[in-house]
Amino acid sequence: MKKIIAAAVAAGLLPVCLAGASPLAEIAAGKAQIDANVTLGSSIKGKRDGHTVDFDGDTRYRAGATVGIGDHLGLDYTYAAHEGDDNASVQSHQLNLIYQFNPYLYGYGGYVRNRAKHHSYEDNTNGFQVGAIGRLPLTDRLTGWGKVGYGNTITQYEVGMGYAFTDSWEANVSYNDSKYRDFSGDTDVKTHGVNVGVSYKF
């Protein structure tokens, strides 16, 4: 019951907490993780018809969850939102199957839906991605990780570090760089930023 209450509280804090996350140390049925992130010092750049515009970037958030559905197999969801000057924004929903090959290496693949907006311009893309995640325990409580993904509408990489201050709660800091492609009008959007936050693992 305590785990259910804690998970509900963590889910309620998704939009406002600080977060970015190392992967589960062991993916298995019944294990799960909720992540909440704030993106600081973000940048958003749009490229259309060969012209690039820098929209700076406002503080936004990333949120996600991983749920184990079998031995070494899980379902992972990530939502990323970026906003910039002049009413520019991009959002991404990513739903992936994730497989843990060993304690240090994971592979994933799945569906991506992106949306770009700027004044009256708005477009959505649907696509796929595949990628890999590496996890390296540095001490009993400190973990480093890296992630790289590629698809027909997205390219991304992330590096980060997490500190477990209890068995369930972890503080994280990471850097993410993403490029969203294939919008109408030959439009691409590139974002990068530093994420800080917490994860709840149960």
Side-chain angles (χ1 to χ4, degrees), residues 1-14 17-26 30-37 62-68 75-77 162-172 196-202:
M1 185 64 179
K2 289 181 181 179
K3 288 184 177 181
I4 293 173
I5 292 171
V9 170
L13 293 174
L14 280 177
C17 277
L18 307 177
S22 64
L24 281 168
E26 180 187 0
K31 294 197 173 185
Q33 171 176 316
I34 298 172
D35 311 310
N37 318 276
R62 301 171 67 85
T66 304
V67 178
L75 192 62
D76 182 79
Y77 170 76
Y163 180 80
F165 51 92
T166 73
D167 288 342
S168 298
W169 290 96
E170 180 180 81
N172 296 273
V196 291
V198 294
S199 298
Y200 179 72
K201 305 183 182 190
F202 56 98

Side-chain angles (χ1 to χ4, degrees), residues 62 154-157 176-180 189-192:
R62 301 171 67 85
I154 188 172
T155 303
Q156 63 175 320
Y157 73 86
N176 178 276
D177 187 292
S178 298
K179 184 176 182 181
Y180 307 98
V189 181
K190 185 173 182 178
T191 66
H192 64 83

Side-chain angles (χ1 to χ4, degrees), residues 11-159:
L13 293 174
L14 280 177
V16 296
C17 277
L18 307 177
S22 64
L24 281 168
E26 180 187 0
I27 297 179
K31 294 197 173 185
Q33 171 176 316
I34 298 172
D35 311 310
N37 318 276
V38 166
T39 302
L40 307 173
S42 65
S43 169
I44 178 171
K45 294 181 180 180
K47 184 177 180 181
R48 190 174 190 186
D49 298 325
H51 301 287
T52 300
V53 179
D54 189 343
F55 295 106
D56 291 326
D58 299 327
T59 297
R60 292 299 288 166
Y61 59 88
R62 301 171 67 85
T66 304
V67 178
I69 57 177
D71 289 343
H72 311 296
L73 185 66
L75 192 62
D76 182 79
Y77 170 76
T78 299
Y79 172 73
H82 294 270
E83 288 187 359
D85 297 339
D86 203 27
N87 198 34
S89 66
V90 62
Q91 294 87 34
S92 180
H93 297 270
Q94 303 170 33
L95 183 64
N96 295 292
L97 278 173
I98 182 170
Y99 184 80
Q100 184 177 15
F101 295 102
N102 57 50
Y104 312 105
L105 181 64
Y106 310 68
Y108 67 91
Y111 170 75
V112 180
R113 180 173 175 83
N114 304 319
R115 182 178 67 176
K117 293 178 67 177
H118 181 224
H119 291 305
S120 60
Y121 175 87
E122 181 174 346
D123 193 29
N124 296 287
T125 62
N126 298 289
F128 69 89
Q129 69 173 335
V130 294
I133 303 169
R135 176 182 179 275
L136 182 63
L138 301 172
T139 70
D140 288 345
R141 295 191 175 273
L142 191 64
T143 302
W145 83 91
K147 173 182 178 181
V148 61
Y150 179 82
N152 61 332
T153 62
I154 188 172
T155 303
Q156 63 175 320
Y157 73 86
E158 185 169 7
V159 292

